[in-house]
Amino acid sequence: MNLSLLSPVVLFGLAAVAAPVLLHLFQRRRFQVLDWGAMQFLPTMQAVRRRRLFDEMLLLLLRMGMIALLVLALAAPVSTSALFAPLADAPSRDIVLVLDGSFSMSARSPNQPAPWDDALAWSHDLTAHLGRNDRVALLVARKPVVLVHGFERVGLREKLDALPQPHGNPDLPTTLAQAWKLLADSSAARKQIIVLTDRQKHGWADPASLEALQSLGQGWRSDAQRMQADGLSTPTLHIVDVAEKTPTASNVALAPLVAPRVVGRVGQKLTFQSAILLDAASQAIKPLRLRTTIDGQPGPDVPLPALGELKQGQAAFTFHHKFDTPGQHLVSVRLEVEGPDAIALDNEQHVVVEVVRQVPVLLIDGDPRLSPESSTFFLQRALGASSDDTAIPQRDWSATTLAGDAAKRPRVLVLSDVPTLTDAQQQAIEAFLEDGGSVLVAVGERVQRDPSFTNDRLHRDGQGWLPAKLAEVASDTGVSPEPRTFQHAALELLKDEGQGSLSQARFSNWWKVKLDEKSKATPIALLSNGDPLLIEKAYRKGRVILCTVPLDRRWQSPLPSRWEYPVLVNELVACLAGSRTQQSMLSPGQEIRVPVATSSEAQLTTPDGRSIALRPKDGGLRYADTGAVGVYRLIQSGHEPTHFIFAQDRAETDLERCSPDDWRKVAERIPLADGDNNDDNAALSRPRQDLWWLFLVAVMAFLCCEIVLTRRLALQRGGP
Amino acid sequence: MAARFDPTSLARFGRLSFLARNVVEGFLSGVHQSPYKGFSVEFAEHRQYYPGDEIRHIDWRAFGKTDRYYIKEHEEETNLQAHLLLDASGSMAYQGRTASKFDYAVQVAASLAYLMLHQRDAVGLAVHDHQLRGMLPPKSHPKHLPRILQMLEATQPGGETSLAPLWHRVATQIRRRGLIVILSDCFDQLSSLRHALRHLSHRRHEILLFQIVAPEELDFPFTGRTQFRNLENVANVQLLDAPAIRAEYQKNIEAFCTELRRDASRMRIDYQLLRTDQPVERALGHYLNHRRQHA
């Protein structure tokens, strides 16, 4: 039987238990003196004392017991023992049960259950001991938050049993906020938020989470005042550490699989990069092999990197692959290990690449008519574009030019020294970027005639898609590209100064630009004098790169005559073309949207093993329950499978738990209920019975006994 | 009656003599309305004339009144020798809300002495605790009363109780058969008392035993914790819860008095329990009743 007190400070009143004793001792010291003659008839003291001692002691104990029981009743005793359940209904309790759904909860140590399994067991124990007036809602804490069960009376156990293994990235602050909201209007006598978690540092005490908890806690405190003013009880937050008894597990993981170029040509070698993540705790785990899978088919194994060359706990590796067929391709790499690897989910990484025969590009020439002297002349040849439709004079293109079949419509729009755009053209570009298209802008002498249009309509003080504001045209004789400053995947091939001649190309004129924080643009290549050469900005679902020199021969630009020119142009176009492909790389919680023209049902397979049928609605297929990280595979009849990658939170692979100092930071931000340890948390799963009334009944019983005993003693004494 | 006793000389003994006289006269004035009617208070004893009695002892006044011949007994022949035994031990000093037992006993003794001397009986007095403290031989002269009263007034109770040895001694010393009036609370070993009374009874004395107790000693009305301090031995104290022991105490004292009464009855000793809240006349009445029974 467990018993606790809600007002332990009242126990100081137990000092009053001494009052009957003191009174008794005081009374014993008070007596009258009587000169007496009939001594021989007085009973002996020993005989009297023996008889009286038991009665007096019993009376004293009864009085002390009454005081002690009264003090205990005032201390508000409560118990979660089932022993008291039949005696009275426990006060109503609304509970929001939060299960930490981050994939670290699936970490296993040898011969130990995973924290997730312990959390489910704890939850079942709670449901088995709910009071008649208790209600439970169930949330899974991940991105996005999942409301599994509302305050319905039935169905909780079945839903607990149906929960898949945790596959998500953590988002405890958002989950706690939703839990609070669920309880805000509850009229239950007690409201509890019980979080079953492994107390991993990432998710609780990382900087972003602490900041979120800080604002959450402030909101809770003001809400709590309002609730108290309205006469409602305030929710209490209880943290149950389901991994407390589990030793810190060792874990080896793979870093996210990255393809510098996500769009490649048929037959082109694409590069893939990742790393094996190890820490000091994972010395017992031995990586065995790296297996690749290409479109679900086994690929060649990747040689293991030398683990002795760890840098910051990582051993990087690279592999390449050529694709012979166009389309979307899923590339996966899996690390096989020997030893106690806690989480298997993070041993596999995926990336989606797109292989095309040719990257569809639309070149908009600033000249009114195309000619060898026009701006797109060199671009067209550098890109190897055979079709005349690839380059269009500025005045001749419209929104329809950017529309069309998904496979054929342009992926990249190149504005080559285009001085102005019509309103319709501007809207078309906005829509194009919204659709995942990308833009390469080169500015030269035509833009120089009226840079105000470019700045006012395209840059818009950083609100527009142009990465930087054009300041002025600069002149010099010795400015050239500085390969050492090239910081972009598209410029990887040109970074090696020793092998190239780009650094010898001298520009006599270039555009000086102004960068500000509002633009959120990044210089990816600089000139030798430090001025930006290439500036990139992500805009809507696409990207924009601004080149501060013309991509033709104007201003005596030596660039088209360099052998690096076609490499530069192709690499820039190929990287920009990957924006649309990168729409397959999503964050947990983002909705999967696929426009379809038919009404056929599609089948979606989730990373946690579920298979869901999707029906087209409003011209597309949509799926929002994307909290599980990994690969979602969409199969439509008559189409190749489409893959969507929901990336793991890399920090989730670090199983470091919150230290006492970390937990102190958490407790400073959000109010945690007292007794935040597992001994007390075991009692959380039980309804709490108020027992003050039981103690008062005992006080009355003691009082009756005291009256009876006092009366009996009085009768024994007789009256004068 | 007043002529026999010189008020002046009596006055020297102040309150006690006044008290005794008032008690007796008051009692006697009521005697005529009482069952004691018929007693002669003027003369001692008369008996019917039998042939052979000396003519000079005929009470002619009585003949004149009754036309019958009565012989007037001589004091020496007819007056009783009474011995008052007064217990002056420490226990007799107990005083509750009424007079102390000793003062009450002194009043009874004084009144009895007054009455006896008025009837021309010889009265002696012995005052004792565990030893004899004073003794006056029985005399019938009226001038003996002041001596008795003086001894009574001069005596203060104290000392331990040891009744039986004294009573034994009295039984040995008093040779002439007479009346022994014992005034005591009798708070002593019952077996010893019984033995002593038997001794007195075997000596063919008339014994009148007045057990004098205070009402508190019978009712035990005390409340709360009480330290009972022995009047005869101040080192002997008992701290007791009075209400708690009341029942047992009353049972003990009641058993004692009952047993004493029973023993007295067996030995033909006239026993009377006197409470100090009762009038002293009660003792006088009992005495006179006794005299009538033994007449």
Side-chain angles (χ1 to χ4, degrees), chain A residues 28 31-36 38-41 43 45 48 51 717-720, chain B residues 94 187-188 222-223 225-227 229 231 238 241 243-244 246 248-249 252:
Chain A
R28 283 178 71 87
F31 54 85
Q32 58 181 339
V33 177
L34 185 65
D35 290 326
W36 188 248
M39 298 295 290
Q40 68 194 75
F41 305 112
M45 290 172 69
V48 173
R51 283 196 308 273
R717 290 173 178 178
Chain B
Y94 176 75
F187 288 167
D188 202 349
F222 311 110
T223 59
R225 289 179 60 78
T226 307
Q227 186 184 65
R229 198 161 58 181
L231 282 163
Q238 285 198 61
D241 183 8
R246 179 179 299 119
E248 187 168 350
Y249 169 84
N252 290 344

mmCIF file of all heavy atoms in Angstrom, chain A residues 28 31-36 38-41 43 45 48 51 717-720, chain B residues 94 187-188 222-223 225-227 229 231 238 241 243-244 246 248-249 252:
data_model
loop_
_atom_site.group_PDB
_atom_site.id
_atom_site.type_symbol
_atom_site.label_atom_id
_atom_site.label_comp_id
_atom_site.label_asym_id
_atom_site.label_seq_id
_atom_site.Cartn_x
_atom_site.Cartn_y
_atom_site.Cartn_z
ATOM 1 N N ARG A 28 -0.612 15.418 37.028
ATOM 2 C CA ARG A 28 -0.049 14.575 38.066
ATOM 3 C C ARG A 28 0.711 15.396 39.095
ATOM 4 O O ARG A 28 0.889 14.989 40.248
ATOM 5 C CB ARG A 28 0.878 13.539 37.417
ATOM 6 C CG ARG A 28 0.138 12.394 36.739
ATOM 7 C CD ARG A 28 1.133 11.437 36.091
ATOM 8 N NE ARG A 28 1.846 10.682 37.116
ATOM 9 C CZ ARG A 28 1.403 9.550 37.635
ATOM 10 N NH1 ARG A 28 0.253 9.049 37.267
ATOM 11 N NH2 ARG A 28 2.109 8.916 38.535
ATOM 12 N N PHE A 31 -1.907 18.412 43.080
ATOM 13 C CA PHE A 31 -2.683 17.599 44.012
ATOM 14 C C PHE A 31 -2.930 18.423 45.277
ATOM 15 O O PHE A 31 -2.220 19.399 45.574
ATOM 16 C CB PHE A 31 -1.950 16.303 44.364
ATOM 17 C CG PHE A 31 -0.547 16.488 44.872
ATOM 18 C CD1 PHE A 31 -0.291 16.754 46.205
ATOM 19 C CD2 PHE A 31 0.535 16.409 44.000
ATOM 20 C CE1 PHE A 31 1.002 16.925 46.673
ATOM 21 C CE2 PHE A 31 1.833 16.580 44.451
ATOM 22 C CZ PHE A 31 2.071 16.842 45.794
ATOM 23 N N GLN A 32 -3.940 18.033 45.994
ATOM 24 C CA GLN A 32 -4.223 18.691 47.279
ATOM 25 C C GLN A 32 -3.630 17.839 48.398
ATOM 26 O O GLN A 32 -3.483 16.626 48.269
ATOM 27 C CB GLN A 32 -5.733 18.856 47.457
ATOM 28 C CG GLN A 32 -6.510 17.532 47.393
ATOM 29 C CD GLN A 32 -8.004 17.744 47.547
ATOM 30 O OE1 GLN A 32 -8.447 18.751 48.072
ATOM 31 N NE2 GLN A 32 -8.787 16.785 47.078
ATOM 32 N N VAL A 33 -3.300 18.487 49.479
ATOM 33 C CA VAL A 33 -2.716 17.808 50.629
ATOM 34 C C VAL A 33 -3.788 17.720 51.703
ATOM 35 O O VAL A 33 -4.477 18.706 51.991
ATOM 36 C CB VAL A 33 -1.484 18.574 51.164
ATOM 37 C CG1 VAL A 33 -0.933 17.885 52.401
ATOM 38 C CG2 VAL A 33 -0.422 18.665 50.058
ATOM 39 N N LEU A 34 -3.901 16.547 52.265
ATOM 40 C CA LEU A 34 -4.954 16.335 53.254
ATOM 41 C C LEU A 34 -4.369 15.583 54.434
ATOM 42 O O LEU A 34 -3.801 14.492 54.269
ATOM 43 C CB LEU A 34 -6.086 15.521 52.622
ATOM 44 C CG LEU A 34 -7.330 15.311 53.484
ATOM 45 C CD1 LEU A 34 -8.019 16.660 53.744
ATOM 46 C CD2 LEU A 34 -8.294 14.352 52.792
ATOM 47 N N ASP A 35 -4.489 16.155 55.622
ATOM 48 C CA ASP A 35 -4.120 15.448 56.844
ATOM 49 C C ASP A 35 -5.227 14.459 57.148
ATOM 50 O O ASP A 35 -6.394 14.840 57.306
ATOM 51 C CB ASP A 35 -3.943 16.450 57.992
ATOM 52 C CG ASP A 35 -2.704 17.308 57.783
ATOM 53 O OD1 ASP A 35 -1.715 16.795 57.240
ATOM 54 O OD2 ASP A 35 -2.748 18.513 58.144
ATOM 55 N N TRP A 36 -4.827 13.232 57.224
ATOM 56 C CA TRP A 36 -5.826 12.170 57.240
ATOM 57 C C TRP A 36 -5.571 11.211 58.401
ATOM 58 O O TRP A 36 -4.421 10.886 58.705
ATOM 59 C CB TRP A 36 -5.754 11.427 55.905
ATOM 60 C CG TRP A 36 -6.809 10.412 55.634
ATOM 61 C CD1 TRP A 36 -6.642 9.073 55.543
ATOM 62 C CD2 TRP A 36 -8.204 10.660 55.429
ATOM 63 N NE1 TRP A 36 -7.825 8.452 55.274
ATOM 64 C CE2 TRP A 36 -8.810 9.400 55.192
ATOM 65 C CE3 TRP A 36 -9.004 11.793 55.425
ATOM 66 C CZ2 TRP A 36 -10.179 9.264 54.953
ATOM 67 C CZ3 TRP A 36 -10.354 11.631 55.178
ATOM 68 C CH2 TRP A 36 -10.932 10.391 54.961
ATOM 69 N N ALA A 38 -7.631 8.162 58.674
ATOM 70 C CA ALA A 38 -8.038 6.786 58.354
ATOM 71 C C ALA A 38 -7.132 6.188 57.307
ATOM 72 O O ALA A 38 -7.570 5.704 56.266
ATOM 73 C CB ALA A 38 -9.489 6.799 57.863
ATOM 74 N N MET A 39 -5.836 6.222 57.590
ATOM 75 C CA MET A 39 -4.881 5.751 56.598
ATOM 76 C C MET A 39 -5.035 4.261 56.335
ATOM 77 O O MET A 39 -4.773 3.790 55.229
ATOM 78 C CB MET A 39 -3.448 6.049 57.053
ATOM 79 C CG MET A 39 -3.131 7.521 57.229
ATOM 80 S SD MET A 39 -3.209 8.457 55.682
ATOM 81 C CE MET A 39 -1.788 7.819 54.832
ATOM 82 N N GLN A 40 -5.436 3.526 57.370
ATOM 83 C CA GLN A 40 -5.439 2.079 57.236
ATOM 84 C C GLN A 40 -6.461 1.616 56.220
ATOM 85 O O GLN A 40 -6.406 0.474 55.771
ATOM 86 C CB GLN A 40 -5.719 1.438 58.592
ATOM 87 C CG GLN A 40 -7.124 1.685 59.111
ATOM 88 C CD GLN A 40 -7.252 1.330 60.564
ATOM 89 O OE1 GLN A 40 -6.791 2.050 61.452
ATOM 90 N NE2 GLN A 40 -7.867 0.187 60.816
ATOM 91 N N PHE A 41 -7.409 2.469 55.841
ATOM 92 C CA PHE A 41 -8.442 2.047 54.901
ATOM 93 C C PHE A 41 -8.133 2.439 53.454
ATOM 94 O O PHE A 41 -8.883 2.075 52.534
ATOM 95 C CB PHE A 41 -9.786 2.654 55.293
ATOM 96 C CG PHE A 41 -10.173 2.333 56.694
ATOM 97 C CD1 PHE A 41 -10.218 3.339 57.667
ATOM 98 C CD2 PHE A 41 -10.472 1.031 57.103
ATOM 99 C CE1 PHE A 41 -10.564 3.051 58.978
ATOM 100 C CE2 PHE A 41 -10.800 0.741 58.408
ATOM 101 C CZ PHE A 41 -10.851 1.741 59.355
ATOM 102 N N PRO A 43 -6.407 2.143 49.938
ATOM 103 C CA PRO A 43 -5.756 1.059 49.186
ATOM 104 C C PRO A 43 -4.288 1.389 48.998
ATOM 105 O O PRO A 43 -3.888 2.561 48.987
ATOM 106 C CB PRO A 43 -6.486 1.036 47.829
ATOM 107 C CG PRO A 43 -7.665 1.909 47.987
ATOM 108 C CD PRO A 43 -7.411 2.830 49.142
ATOM 109 N N MET A 45 -0.718 1.998 47.221
ATOM 110 C CA MET A 45 -0.412 2.701 45.969
ATOM 111 C C MET A 45 -0.117 1.715 44.846
ATOM 112 O O MET A 45 -0.497 1.930 43.707
ATOM 113 C CB MET A 45 0.782 3.620 46.178
ATOM 114 C CG MET A 45 0.472 4.815 47.060
ATOM 115 S SD MET A 45 1.942 5.737 47.475
ATOM 116 C CE MET A 45 2.353 6.423 45.901
ATOM 117 N N VAL A 48 -3.297 0.314 43.431
ATOM 118 C CA VAL A 48 -4.016 1.309 42.647
ATOM 119 C C VAL A 48 -3.324 1.555 41.330
ATOM 120 O O VAL A 48 -3.948 1.627 40.275
ATOM 121 C CB VAL A 48 -4.130 2.618 43.443
ATOM 122 C CG1 VAL A 48 -4.716 3.719 42.568
ATOM 123 C CG2 VAL A 48 -4.975 2.415 44.662
ATOM 124 N N ARG A 51 -3.851 -1.081 38.673
ATOM 125 C CA ARG A 51 -5.162 -1.061 38.035
ATOM 126 C C ARG A 51 -5.327 0.129 37.123
ATOM 127 O O ARG A 51 -5.906 0.043 36.061
ATOM 128 C CB ARG A 51 -6.262 -1.010 39.106
ATOM 129 C CG ARG A 51 -6.529 -2.322 39.797
ATOM 130 C CD ARG A 51 -7.855 -2.244 40.524
ATOM 131 N NE ARG A 51 -7.925 -1.070 41.381
ATOM 132 C CZ ARG A 51 -7.483 -1.046 42.625
ATOM 133 N NH1 ARG A 51 -6.931 -2.101 43.161
ATOM 134 N NH2 ARG A 51 -7.589 0.048 43.348
ATOM 135 N N ARG A 717 -14.945 5.000 39.521
ATOM 136 C CA ARG A 717 -14.590 5.857 40.654
ATOM 137 C C ARG A 717 -15.788 6.109 41.526
ATOM 138 O O ARG A 717 -15.684 6.301 42.735
ATOM 139 C CB ARG A 717 -14.069 7.199 40.137
ATOM 140 C CG ARG A 717 -12.723 7.098 39.487
ATOM 141 C CD ARG A 717 -12.372 8.432 38.861
ATOM 142 N NE ARG A 717 -11.062 8.414 38.253
ATOM 143 C CZ ARG A 717 -10.522 9.439 37.606
ATOM 144 N NH1 ARG A 717 -11.211 10.550 37.489
ATOM 145 N NH2 ARG A 717 -9.327 9.362 37.093
ATOM 146 N N GLY A 718 -16.923 6.155 40.919
ATOM 147 C CA GLY A 718 -18.128 6.469 41.665
ATOM 148 C C GLY A 718 -18.197 7.944 41.925
ATOM 149 O O GLY A 718 -17.284 8.706 41.691
ATOM 150 N N GLY A 719 -19.316 8.420 42.510
ATOM 151 C CA GLY A 719 -19.450 9.829 42.832
ATOM 152 C C GLY A 719 -19.300 10.054 44.315
ATOM 153 O O GLY A 719 -19.346 9.106 45.098
ATOM 154 N N PRO A 720 -19.069 11.252 44.659
ATOM 155 C CA PRO A 720 -18.962 11.576 46.081
ATOM 156 C C PRO A 720 -20.306 11.396 46.745
ATOM 157 O O PRO A 720 -21.343 11.452 46.089
ATOM 158 C CB PRO A 720 -18.515 13.018 46.084
ATOM 159 C CG PRO A 720 -18.919 13.580 44.768
ATOM 160 C CD PRO A 720 -18.905 12.424 43.809
ATOM 161 N N TYR B 94 -8.428 14.672 63.139
ATOM 162 C CA TYR B 94 -8.964 14.959 61.800
ATOM 163 C C TYR B 94 -10.188 15.850 61.905
ATOM 164 O O TYR B 94 -11.117 15.603 62.665
ATOM 165 C CB TYR B 94 -9.324 13.681 61.056
ATOM 166 C CG TYR B 94 -9.973 14.020 59.725
ATOM 167 C CD1 TYR B 94 -9.186 14.486 58.665
ATOM 168 C CD2 TYR B 94 -11.351 13.948 59.554
ATOM 169 C CE1 TYR B 94 -9.754 14.842 57.464
ATOM 170 C CE2 TYR B 94 -11.919 14.306 58.342
ATOM 171 C CZ TYR B 94 -11.126 14.746 57.310
ATOM 172 O OH TYR B 94 -11.695 15.115 56.112
ATOM 173 N N PHE B 187 -9.499 3.441 65.158
ATOM 174 C CA PHE B 187 -8.679 3.163 63.964
ATOM 175 C C PHE B 187 -7.399 2.443 64.407
ATOM 176 O O PHE B 187 -6.349 3.029 64.607
ATOM 177 C CB PHE B 187 -8.338 4.468 63.233
ATOM 178 C CG PHE B 187 -9.501 5.083 62.507
ATOM 179 C CD1 PHE B 187 -9.416 6.380 62.044
ATOM 180 C CD2 PHE B 187 -10.673 4.374 62.305
ATOM 181 C CE1 PHE B 187 -10.487 6.949 61.347
ATOM 182 C CE2 PHE B 187 -11.737 4.937 61.608
ATOM 183 C CZ PHE B 187 -11.654 6.240 61.144
ATOM 184 N N ASP B 188 -7.591 1.160 64.599
ATOM 185 C CA ASP B 188 -6.493 0.321 65.003
ATOM 186 C C ASP B 188 -6.765 -1.052 64.462
ATOM 187 O O ASP B 188 -7.776 -1.304 63.804
ATOM 188 C CB ASP B 188 -6.360 0.336 66.529
ATOM 189 C CG ASP B 188 -4.969 -0.060 66.987
ATOM 190 O OD1 ASP B 188 -4.163 -0.559 66.136
ATOM 191 O OD2 ASP B 188 -4.667 0.098 68.189
ATOM 192 N N PHE B 222 -13.678 13.358 48.370
ATOM 193 C CA PHE B 222 -12.569 14.086 47.750
ATOM 194 C C PHE B 222 -12.510 13.845 46.242
ATOM 195 O O PHE B 222 -12.885 12.785 45.749
ATOM 196 C CB PHE B 222 -11.240 13.667 48.395
ATOM 197 C CG PHE B 222 -11.304 13.716 49.887
ATOM 198 C CD1 PHE B 222 -11.291 12.536 50.622
ATOM 199 C CD2 PHE B 222 -11.435 14.916 50.565
ATOM 200 C CE1 PHE B 222 -11.379 12.575 52.000
ATOM 201 C CE2 PHE B 222 -11.522 14.954 51.942
ATOM 202 C CZ PHE B 222 -11.508 13.774 52.671
ATOM 203 N N THR B 223 -12.044 14.848 45.506
ATOM 204 C CA THR B 223 -11.900 14.764 44.047
ATOM 205 C C THR B 223 -10.454 15.063 43.690
ATOM 206 O O THR B 223 -9.729 15.743 44.439
ATOM 207 C CB THR B 223 -12.813 15.774 43.342
ATOM 208 O OG1 THR B 223 -12.477 17.099 43.787
ATOM 209 C CG2 THR B 223 -14.268 15.494 43.645
ATOM 210 N N ARG B 225 -6.438 14.393 42.450
ATOM 211 C CA ARG B 225 -5.309 13.713 43.084
ATOM 212 C C ARG B 225 -5.085 14.336 44.459
ATOM 213 O O ARG B 225 -5.065 15.557 44.615
ATOM 214 C CB ARG B 225 -4.069 13.874 42.215
ATOM 215 C CG ARG B 225 -4.146 13.061 40.925
ATOM 216 C CD ARG B 225 -2.910 13.254 40.084
ATOM 217 N NE ARG B 225 -1.702 12.849 40.778
ATOM 218 C CZ ARG B 225 -1.323 11.587 40.930
ATOM 219 N NH1 ARG B 225 -2.059 10.607 40.449
ATOM 220 N NH2 ARG B 225 -0.205 11.301 41.564
ATOM 221 N N THR B 226 -4.879 13.504 45.444
ATOM 222 C CA THR B 226 -4.787 13.962 46.818
ATOM 223 C C THR B 226 -3.625 13.280 47.508
ATOM 224 O O THR B 226 -3.437 12.060 47.357
ATOM 225 C CB THR B 226 -6.098 13.643 47.569
ATOM 226 O OG1 THR B 226 -7.199 14.155 46.845
ATOM 227 C CG2 THR B 226 -6.072 14.238 48.967
ATOM 228 N N GLN B 227 -2.880 14.060 48.220
ATOM 229 C CA GLN B 227 -1.801 13.498 49.035
ATOM 230 C C GLN B 227 -2.350 13.373 50.467
ATOM 231 O O GLN B 227 -2.563 14.370 51.157
ATOM 232 C CB GLN B 227 -0.574 14.396 49.009
ATOM 233 C CG GLN B 227 0.630 13.767 49.721
ATOM 234 C CD GLN B 227 1.820 14.706 49.770
ATOM 235 O OE1 GLN B 227 1.764 15.746 50.408
ATOM 236 N NE2 GLN B 227 2.902 14.346 49.118
ATOM 237 N N ARG B 229 -1.885 12.670 54.109
ATOM 238 C CA ARG B 229 -0.768 12.757 55.063
ATOM 239 C C ARG B 229 -1.241 12.257 56.402
ATOM 240 O O ARG B 229 -2.224 12.746 56.972
ATOM 241 C CB ARG B 229 -0.303 14.214 55.146
ATOM 242 C CG ARG B 229 1.064 14.381 55.727
ATOM 243 C CD ARG B 229 1.655 15.724 55.361
ATOM 244 N NE ARG B 229 0.811 16.821 55.810
ATOM 245 C CZ ARG B 229 1.093 18.104 55.588
ATOM 246 N NH1 ARG B 229 2.155 18.426 54.912
ATOM 247 N NH2 ARG B 229 0.271 19.040 56.014
ATOM 248 N N LEU B 231 -1.915 11.791 60.025
ATOM 249 C CA LEU B 231 -1.905 12.715 61.164
ATOM 250 C C LEU B 231 -1.021 12.212 62.294
ATOM 251 O O LEU B 231 -0.569 13.000 63.133
ATOM 252 C CB LEU B 231 -3.344 12.894 61.682
ATOM 253 C CG LEU B 231 -4.228 13.831 60.863
ATOM 254 C CD1 LEU B 231 -5.696 13.623 61.204
ATOM 255 C CD2 LEU B 231 -3.844 15.280 61.087
ATOM 256 N N GLN B 238 0.556 9.237 51.110
ATOM 257 C CA GLN B 238 0.161 8.488 49.924
ATOM 258 C C GLN B 238 -0.503 9.448 48.950
ATOM 259 O O GLN B 238 -1.433 10.167 49.322
ATOM 260 C CB GLN B 238 -0.815 7.364 50.284
ATOM 261 C CG GLN B 238 -0.160 6.170 50.968
ATOM 262 C CD GLN B 238 -1.073 4.952 50.883
ATOM 263 O OE1 GLN B 238 -1.398 4.492 49.803
ATOM 264 N NE2 GLN B 238 -1.472 4.432 52.038
ATOM 265 N N ASP B 241 -5.317 8.942 43.551
ATOM 266 C CA ASP B 241 -6.424 9.545 42.827
ATOM 267 C C ASP B 241 -7.685 9.247 43.612
ATOM 268 O O ASP B 241 -8.172 8.110 43.617
ATOM 269 C CB ASP B 241 -6.493 8.947 41.416
ATOM 270 C CG ASP B 241 -7.583 9.582 40.572
ATOM 271 O OD1 ASP B 241 -8.178 10.578 41.024
ATOM 272 O OD2 ASP B 241 -7.844 9.100 39.451
ATOM 273 N N PRO B 243 -10.994 9.922 43.551
ATOM 274 C CA PRO B 243 -12.196 9.311 42.974
ATOM 275 C C PRO B 243 -11.968 7.858 42.591
ATOM 276 O O PRO B 243 -12.886 7.054 42.632
ATOM 277 C CB PRO B 243 -12.474 10.176 41.746
ATOM 278 C CG PRO B 243 -11.808 11.476 42.014
ATOM 279 C CD PRO B 243 -10.597 11.129 42.793
ATOM 280 N N ALA B 244 -10.743 7.574 42.221
ATOM 281 C CA ALA B 244 -10.468 6.222 41.760
ATOM 282 C C ALA B 244 -10.511 5.217 42.889
ATOM 283 O O ALA B 244 -10.809 4.048 42.686
ATOM 284 C CB ALA B 244 -9.106 6.182 41.066
ATOM 285 N N ARG B 246 -12.219 5.656 45.803
ATOM 286 C CA ARG B 246 -13.352 5.904 46.710
ATOM 287 C C ARG B 246 -14.097 4.627 47.035
ATOM 288 O O ARG B 246 -14.389 4.326 48.193
ATOM 289 C CB ARG B 246 -14.294 6.936 46.106
ATOM 290 C CG ARG B 246 -15.526 7.215 47.000
ATOM 291 C CD ARG B 246 -16.455 8.260 46.408
ATOM 292 N NE ARG B 246 -15.766 9.523 46.267
ATOM 293 C CZ ARG B 246 -15.577 10.121 45.097
ATOM 294 N NH1 ARG B 246 -16.015 9.559 43.988
ATOM 295 N NH2 ARG B 246 -14.940 11.270 45.042
ATOM 296 N N GLU B 248 -13.281 1.519 46.867
ATOM 297 C CA GLU B 248 -12.552 0.544 47.664
ATOM 298 C C GLU B 248 -12.381 1.036 49.102
ATOM 299 O O GLU B 248 -12.492 0.255 50.051
ATOM 300 C CB GLU B 248 -11.192 0.273 47.034
ATOM 301 C CG GLU B 248 -10.444 -0.865 47.720
ATOM 302 C CD GLU B 248 -9.245 -1.318 46.940
ATOM 303 O OE1 GLU B 248 -9.096 -0.885 45.769
ATOM 304 O OE2 GLU B 248 -8.459 -2.099 47.489
ATOM 305 N N TYR B 249 -12.111 2.293 49.256
ATOM 306 C CA TYR B 249 -11.955 2.858 50.613
ATOM 307 C C TYR B 249 -13.239 2.680 51.416
ATOM 308 O O TYR B 249 -13.219 2.226 52.573
ATOM 309 C CB TYR B 249 -11.584 4.342 50.519
ATOM 310 C CG TYR B 249 -11.669 5.044 51.835
ATOM 311 C CD1 TYR B 249 -10.611 5.007 52.725
ATOM 312 C CD2 TYR B 249 -12.846 5.715 52.227
ATOM 313 C CE1 TYR B 249 -10.688 5.625 53.959
ATOM 314 C CE2 TYR B 249 -12.927 6.323 53.462
ATOM 315 C CZ TYR B 249 -11.859 6.286 54.321
ATOM 316 O OH TYR B 249 -11.948 6.896 55.556
ATOM 317 N N ASN B 252 -13.701 -0.729 52.504
ATOM 318 C CA ASN B 252 -12.817 -1.111 53.611
ATOM 319 C C ASN B 252 -13.339 -0.593 54.953
ATOM 320 O O ASN B 252 -13.412 -1.332 55.953
ATOM 321 C CB ASN B 252 -11.409 -0.572 53.361
ATOM 322 C CG ASN B 252 -10.714 -1.298 52.211
ATOM 323 O OD1 ASN B 252 -11.151 -2.370 51.796
ATOM 324 N ND2 ASN B 252 -9.659 -0.704 51.685
#
